[in-house]
Each structure stands twice: as structure tokens, then as C-alpha cells.
Amino acid sequence: VSSQPNFAVGHSIADPAIVLVACLIISVLVFGILMTFAMTRRRAQEIAKEKTRSLEERTEELARSNQELDRFAYAASHDLRSPLRAISSLTGWLEDDLQPVLTDDSREHLALMKNRVGRMEALLTGLLQYSRIGRGDDNVQLLNGCSLAVDVLDLISVPAGFTIEVSPDLPDFHGDKAPVTHVLQNLVDNAIKHHDRTDGRIWITGA
């Protein structure tokens, strides 16, 4: 009688040992994923705290800088106003004391000096306001181009060889008067300073 060979039957997928090993592997993977997520979240929170702390420090530094700028602008404005007021007072005294002997040209020069002192005081006030831009102050207004140009020319000592003409068609526009005046004054000053001759003509016109 011949005997049939006895083949070993493989493990079933439902074998408890295999299920247990699979569960352990899955548990380890899930634990690793959770740990990675927790570490990533913790690191993200640390970075967010660092950014917040850095932003707070920069905000405090900016606030200190603004306070220093306010103090400097106020001190500079006050220190510059004092001699201007002294010049204005002295001009008034001269005008009163020398009234009988003043010529028409002298009266015109004294009036021009008083006018320029007043405009310089207004410019200082505008620059003080300009230093506070972005911190709640709104200095934008409708500006007349021709009037602004004339005001600027009153602040400039034009050499005898130069003539400056203001176009009557300068447009009106919205802006902050102090910085616009300062920019226009610098442009005219530079046009005179860097001219290659001692005489010339400057046109202020709109585009």
C-alpha cells in the first residue's frame, strides 16, 4: 500500500500570531505618526511664540523711535522758532524806529523779511506735523499749485542773475503741504546751485 505524501498546510491569514504582529506594527506606526505630529505642533507653537515676541519687541522699538522723533522734532521746532521770532520782533522795531527815514525800498525789504519769517514758522509747523504722519494725523489737503510755488519762491533767495517763472496753469492737487513745499524748494535750490552759469531762467510748470 503506497502512502500519499503529507504536505504542510501554510498559516492562515487569521492566524492569531500574524494578527498580533500586524497590530503591533500598526500600533508602532500610529504612535510614530502621533509623536511626529505632536513634535511638529510643539515646534510650530515655539516658532509662533518667537515670532510674536520678536514682533512685540519691534513694536516697542518702533514706539520708542517715534517718541524720540517727536521729542526731537518738537525741540528742533522750538529752538528754530525762537530766533525767527526774535528776527520778526527786531524787524518790527526797526520799522517803527526808522519810519521817518525809511525809503520805499527799505520798507519793501523789511516787509519781505517779515513775510519770510512767517512762512518759515509755518514751514516748521508743517514739518512737525509731517514727522507724525502715519500715527493718526491726516495732513492731506487740496493744494493750489500756483500759490504753493509762490510760497516756495518767497522762501528762496534768488541770485540776481536768475529769473523764475511760474506757469499759471499749475494744477490743484491733494497732498501734504509741508513735504511738498520742502521738495519743491529743494528742486529750485538745486537748479540754481548746479547751474553751469551765474545767470539762468527756471520754469515751474505742470506736466
Side-chain angles (χ1 to χ4, degrees):
V1 179
S2 60
S3 59
Q4 298 292 332
N6 212 2
F7 296 100
V9 179
H11 292 291
S12 170
I13 194 170
D15 193 320
I18 295 178
V19 173
L20 178 60
V21 172
C23 289
L24 288 175
I25 293 174
I26 293 173
S27 298
V28 171
L29 291 175
V30 171
F31 178 76
I33 292 172
L34 292 176
M35 286 297 296
T36 302
F37 175 76
M39 293 174 63
T40 302
R41 182 179 179 183
R42 187 180 301 111
R43 180 55 183 162
Q45 291 175 343
E46 291 175 355
I47 293 175
K49 289 181 180 179
E50 292 175 0
K51 295 292 185 182
T52 301
R53 185 164 52 251
S54 176
L55 180 60
E56 291 175 349
E57 291 175 353
R58 291 182 180 181
T59 302
E60 293 175 357
E61 183 179 354
L62 179 61
R64 287 194 298 270
S65 298
N66 287 337
Q67 290 176 357
E68 293 175 0
L69 177 60
D70 281 342
R71 287 194 292 269
F72 173 78
Y74 179 80
S77 176
H78 180 271
D79 292 343
L80 290 174
R81 275 198 180 97
S82 296
L84 285 176
R85 289 169 181 167
I87 293 173
S88 180
S89 299
L90 180 59
T91 303
W93 296 338
L94 289 174
E95 190 175 19
D96 293 338
D97 294 343
L98 302 177
Q99 187 68 32
V101 296
L102 285 176
T103 64
D104 291 340
D105 288 342
S106 298
R107 291 189 179 89
E108 182 179 351
H109 292 158
L110 289 174
L112 180 61
M113 184 181 299
K114 292 172 65 176
N115 188 354
R116 288 186 174 179
V117 168
R119 294 186 185 280
M120 282 298 298
E121 288 191 4
L123 183 59
L124 287 174
T125 300
L127 290 175
L128 180 61
Q129 294 174 348
Y130 177 61
S131 70
R132 297 171 177 170
I133 287 179
R135 282 170 279 164
D137 295 335
D138 186 7
N139 302 311
V140 176
Q141 56 183 304
L142 180 62
L143 301 175
N144 181 272
C146 292
S147 298
L148 182 66
V150 172
D151 290 346
V152 168
L153 295 183
D154 285 339
L155 298 172
I156 299 174
S157 295
V158 181
F162 281 84
T163 58
I164 300 179
E165 298 182 6
V166 178
S167 174
D169 60 352
L170 284 177
D172 296 346
F173 59 95
H174 287 85
D176 191 320
K177 186 175 182 179
V180 173
T181 301
H182 189 60
V183 169
L184 184 56
Q185 182 179 352
N186 284 339
L187 288 173
V188 176
D189 282 336
N190 288 334
I192 297 173
K193 178 180 178 181
H194 299 290
H195 194 55
D196 57 355
R197 298 194 307 272
T198 57
D199 60 340
R201 176 173 295 178
I202 298 173
W203 290 272
I204 301 178
T205 183

